Amino acid sequence: MGAGASDLAAPAEAPGSGLGDMPELCAAEVLLRLGAPDICRLARLNRAFRSAAAADFVWEAKLPDNYGYLMGFVRGVAGEEDGERGRKRSAVGKKEVYARLAKAVRFDDGKREFWLEKTTGMVCMALSSKALVITGIDDRRYWVHMPNTESRFQSVAYLQQIWWFEVVGEIDFRFPAGTYSLYFRLHLGKPSSSRHAGRRCCGSDKAGGSGIHGWDRKPVRFQLSTSDGQNAVSQRYLDDEPGSWALYHAGDFVVAPDGRPVRVKFSMAQIDCTHTKGGLCVDSVLVYPSGFRTETVVGAHK
């Protein structure tokens, strides 16, 4: 299926496909119309495609305009594009730059990461639960951090019971121009990475068990706002089938092609204190190019 980051770094040699050699520029014209995984596949066909697939101008066309800014995070100096680091960056082949950015790049003490979606070259981002401001998170009567191998960050925040439910976060980042969707990755019930007979176990909270409560009384309110005046507000009940992760859509935002950072503030809350709620896992917040997603998406009712 798709090519991994290791394929981007070093496509394997293969016998000729029978297509014969062709001018390298013709091969490059073909590659310019393809995504990164298909470029790596064609690089295995013959010498012309292998040579064209190593050309800087082919991969630079696939990189986002702000790839220098993104590479600054790889070196631990966000946004560094000038001076000595800039000269060193320019000496790295664009194929190697793409391969490195296609892997997760962690920052903020490992609580956030971004990567290039390999087919489109668009930027995706994930924030762990530890990068969010969660009401009551330091009180183990309400919340506990749990290890979980189904999380990108190997840890989730599990809500046992609380009256005031509120999760808030902020992103300040130079996204490439485009439209992005922001999601909360949630799980009703206590998840477990263990599997028996091919079925997922949900810890001590079985579907419909007493651990999950309060979400059918009032909807959860999702909000998103940006530094340039964009806003989204929606709400929905958390009434989906327990036992699996889902992406809850909080809203979309548009990044202009001016190269400026965009600050995005977002939250989800259910602060009606007439009842408690619990039995919910908060894994992460995800930002994807609009239309791209990897898991079940739960839309919100406005």
Side-chain angles (χ1 to χ4, degrees):
M1 300 298 288
S6 59
D7 295 322
L8 296 173
E13 294 283 339
S17 66
L19 295 176
D21 289 338
M22 67 174 67
E24 184 179 325
L25 285 178
C26 292
E29 285 296 325
V30 173
L31 299 184
L32 284 170
R33 290 164 171 76
L34 301 176
D38 289 329
I39 292 175
C40 293
R41 294 189 189 100
L42 282 182
R44 295 179 170 88
L45 289 180
N46 59 35
R47 183 175 56 190
F49 279 120
R50 282 197 298 275
S51 180
D56 273 355
F57 73 91
V58 169
W59 289 99
E60 188 153 23
K62 307 302 174 185
L63 286 165
D65 291 340
N66 67 340
Y67 72 88
Y69 166 80
L70 301 176
M71 283 297 289
F73 286 90
V74 175
R75 294 181 172 85
V77 185
E80 181 66 62
E81 297 185 58
D82 301 318
E84 184 63 26
R85 287 190 176 88
R87 287 189 289 274
K88 289 181 180 179
R89 177 184 58 78
S90 63
V92 178
K94 301 303 185 293
K95 182 179 180 182
E96 287 72 21
V97 171
Y98 197 104
R100 182 59 190 90
L101 294 178
K103 301 176 183 178
V105 179
R106 291 215 166 170
F107 62 106
D108 188 21
D109 295 324
K111 293 182 290 188
R112 304 170 189 244
E113 66 182 30
F114 70 85
W115 66 97
L116 295 188
E117 197 283 302
K118 288 189 286 290
T119 301
T120 64
M122 293 288 285
V123 171
C124 302
M125 180 174 286
L127 288 72
S128 79
S129 60
K130 294 181 180 179
L132 307 175
V133 178
I134 302 177
T135 300
I137 190 63
D138 295 324
D139 192 328
R140 290 181 61 86
R141 293 175 299 173
Y142 307 131
W143 291 89
V144 291
H145 287 292
M146 299 175 56
N148 188 270
T149 58
E150 295 178 331
S151 167
R152 298 184 67 93
F153 300 94
Q154 303 298 303
S155 174
V156 300
Y158 178 68
L159 173 62
Q160 300 182 107
Q161 180 169 285
I162 205 166
W163 294 88
W164 184 291
F165 172 75
E166 187 173 30
V167 180
V168 178
E170 183 174 321
I171 298 170
D172 193 349
F173 194 77
R174 280 177 54 186
F175 286 96
T179 302
Y180 296 84
S181 299
L182 188 143
Y183 304 95
F184 285 87
R185 188 172 189 257
L186 308 177
H187 182 294
L188 281 171
K190 184 183 294 184
S192 170
S193 298
S194 62
R195 297 176 184 274
H196 298 279
R199 298 181 62 184
R200 182 205 308 271
C201 296
C202 293
S204 60
D205 288 331
K206 298 179 181 179
S210 60
I212 305 169
H213 66 281
W215 306 112
D216 57 344
R217 299 282 296 276
K218 291 288 180 69
V220 172
R221 183 179 179 88
F222 296 91
Q223 291 184 282
L224 179 152
S225 64
T226 67
S227 51
D228 60 359
Q230 301 176 67
N231 293 279
V233 180
S234 55
Q235 60 183 14
R236 69 161 292 114
Y237 289 92
L238 304 188
D239 55 3
D240 297 278
E241 185 68 24
S244 61
W245 291 101
L247 304 182
Y248 285 75
H249 185 214
D252 297 338
F253 61 95
V254 178
V255 177
D258 56 14
R260 297 179 182 177
V262 58
R263 180 178 291 109
V264 183
K265 296 183 179 181
F266 51 87
S267 66
M268 64 173 177
Q270 208 270 57
I271 57 178
D272 183 343
C273 293
T274 61
H275 66 282
T276 63
K277 35 267 177 187
L280 177 72
C281 262
V282 178
D283 171 39
S284 56
V285 166
L286 296 164
V287 178
Y288 286 146
S290 185
F292 173 81
R293 52 251 193 162
T294 59
E295 296 177 275
T296 300
V297 172
V298 179
H301 305 298
K302 295 182 178 181

